[in-house]
């Protein structure tokens, strides 16, 4: 996964009273609390201010994915891969995002590549989690 790098002190700050690193940390808290929409809302201006910060962009893509904003997730994941073509997790997420958009043919190459990069013979089957109504 992409290593965290500090935010640039010269980056243009978004319209927030908090420094970029604090906004990123706040977004992580919302993500961990499964409030993916709020995490994405916080991260979008952070990524805009610091477009080369791949950890923030990947967390934004994950937030979009989990909040079913699949076109936005796809766009962010493609940007991650443009900047870092060795980011295995982005290939996997892009494949899963395309699957969720009912585009299995488009997803297949990304899933195969992610599997190969992880040393797997073939892509892992998509896990479906069934929850009981009383959960």
């Amino acid at each position: 996964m992409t290593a965290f790098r500090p935010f640039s002190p010269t980056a243009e700050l978004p319209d927030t009273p908090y420094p970029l690193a604090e906004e990123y940390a706040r977004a992580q808290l919302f993500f961990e609390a499964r409030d993916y929409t709020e995490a994405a809302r916080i991260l979008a201006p952070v990524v805009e201010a610091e477009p080369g910060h791949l950890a923030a962009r990947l967390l934004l893509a994950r937030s979009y994915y989990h909040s079913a904003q699949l076109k936005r997730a796809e766009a962010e994941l493609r940007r991650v891969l443009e900047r870092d073509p060795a980011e295995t997790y982005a290939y996997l997420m892009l494949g899963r995002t395309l699957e969720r958009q009912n585009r299995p043919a488009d997803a297949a190459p990304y899933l195969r590549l992610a599997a190969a990069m992880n040393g797997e013979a073939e892509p892992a089957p998509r896990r479906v989690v069934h929850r009981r109504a009383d959960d």
Side-chain angles (χ1 to χ4, degrees):
M1 196 176 280
T2 300
F4 181 82
R5 79 173 170 78
F7 288 94
S8 168
T10 60
E12 188 173 321
L13 296 176
D15 187 22
T16 174
Y18 305 105
L20 291 177
E22 287 182 26
E23 285 292 88
Y24 178 78
R26 275 184 355 106
Q28 284 182 308
L29 292 173
F30 279 99
F31 186 88
E32 290 167 8
R34 296 182 179 194
D35 189 346
Y36 305 116
T37 303
E38 184 63 14
R41 188 193 67 73
I42 295 167
L43 284 165
V46 171
V47 168
E48 185 178 325
E50 192 73 39
H53 198 285
L54 293 182
R57 190 174 292 280
L58 192 55
L59 186 59
L60 176 60
R62 292 174 65 201
S63 298
Y64 284 148
Y65 176 86
H66 288 295
S67 61
Q69 299 178 62
L70 301 177
K71 291 290 187 188
R72 288 179 174 177
E74 178 184 351
E76 290 303 326
L77 290 164
R78 290 185 187 282
R79 287 183 193 108
V80 167
L81 291 171
E82 284 173 8
R83 294 174 189 270
D84 186 1
E87 181 57 61
T88 306
Y89 187 65
Y91 286 106
L92 176 63
M93 274 200 64
L94 180 55
R96 296 295 187 225
T97 300
L98 294 168
E99 280 182 332
R100 282 186 68 188
Q101 294 179 62
N102 199 27
R103 295 166 54 193
D106 293 337
Y110 295 104
L111 296 174
R112 281 194 303 272
L113 186 53
M117 292 171 81
N118 280 324
E120 300 167 7
E122 59 185 62
R126 191 165 170 215
R127 290 182 290 178
V128 178
V129 177
H130 297 282
R131 294 195 174 157
R132 296 184 343 207
D134 60 342
D135 282 350

